[in-house]
Amino acid sequence: MKTIGIFLRFLVAAVFLCVGVNAAQASLEGDPDASKAASVAREAEQGDAGAQFTLGRMYLKGQGMPQDYGKAFEWFSKAAAQGNARGQYGLGQMYDTGRGIPKDNGKAAEWYRKAAEQGDVDAQYCLGWMYEKGQGVPQDYGKAAEWYGKAAAQGDADAQNGLGWMYENGYGVPRDYGKATEWYEKAAAQGNAYAQCNLGEMYRHGRGVPRDYGKAFDLLSKAAEQGNAAAQNNLGMMYHYGLGVPRDFKKAFEWYSKAEEQGDVGALVNL
């Protein structure tokens, strides 16, 4: 916020109180993040839950002020205590990753659940993932599929891919290649590399869709270009065996090598 005359002195004082010396100096120099931080901090101090979450996120990412996980946790906690779903999700993330606090999967799942039950799509996906992997909660594929489904219905690409994987493998839901393909397609259309790889494999093997090496090659190429190791290995196999593309051992080696550099075991074998 830019002001003139005597109001500048009040602004500087407020910024110093709310976000510290560095942010204040940056605000005076026209830093938009620091200027936003000053405004958000004032609202957070007044008890606005949304502002408290936003301020926590700014501390988490170091936007407008020095990165400070402790203060991020503090402001997420204030927002969460008021029932703010994003603040609850933020706390879940901090416990999940152990940034600024000891890692605690149980508490992460607890806060994800609070946010997920309010419809927070990120928390729904994360809770589904924790049920799938059995982290912080007993492993339960049925509940994983349930929470993936809620997030997928809101358009979350990771959840759509996760739900597709559940249908493909029959985890928590009856195996259904058609539904797996449907969810992979939704996620792949959003550019999700994992879904592009999985959908490519469905076309390569003819699961849920007619076998189509051309479509498999296109999808695997998109995922491989994004750095997906499994797709890089599978694309190497397409070149190796001439599936949907002329056989090219040099390109096969190049893609196997990219995947192997990321620790893909299949690529190591193929090399």
Side-chain angles (χ1 to χ4, degrees), residues 150-208:
K150 292 179 184 294
Q154 293 196 63
D156 185 88
D158 289 324
Q160 291 169 342
N161 175 66
L163 188 57
W165 187 85
M166 304 294 278
Y167 275 114
E168 181 183 354
N169 294 281
Y171 288 157
V173 292
R175 175 173 284 174
D176 188 324
Y177 290 144
K179 287 185 178 179
T181 299
E182 176 185 339
W183 286 110
Y184 285 151
E185 286 176 341
K186 291 179 184 293
Q190 296 191 62
N192 185 283
Y194 292 102
Q196 290 169 341
C197 178
N198 290 334
L199 184 58
E201 286 298 282
M202 299 294 275
Y203 275 110
R204 186 161 76 97
H205 295 287
R207 292 198 293 260

Side-chain angles (χ1 to χ4, degrees), residues 31-98:
D31 185 321
D33 283 339
S35 181
K36 178 182 178 182
S39 176
V40 170
R42 284 193 295 273
E43 294 177 12
E45 290 286 2
Q46 292 171 11
D48 183 279
Q52 290 170 343
F53 163 72
T54 301
L55 186 59
R57 184 176 58 188
M58 295 181 83
Y59 273 118
L60 182 68
K61 297 183 177 182
Q63 294 178 338
M65 68 275 288
Q67 189 174 56
D68 188 324
Y69 292 145
K71 288 184 177 179
F73 179 81
E74 175 187 343
W75 286 107
F76 284 155
S77 296
K78 290 179 184 292
Q82 295 197 64
N84 181 275
R86 294 305 289 165
Q88 293 167 343
Y89 167 73
L91 279 184
Q93 281 280 286
M94 297 202 75
Y95 279 115
D96 197 355
T97 59

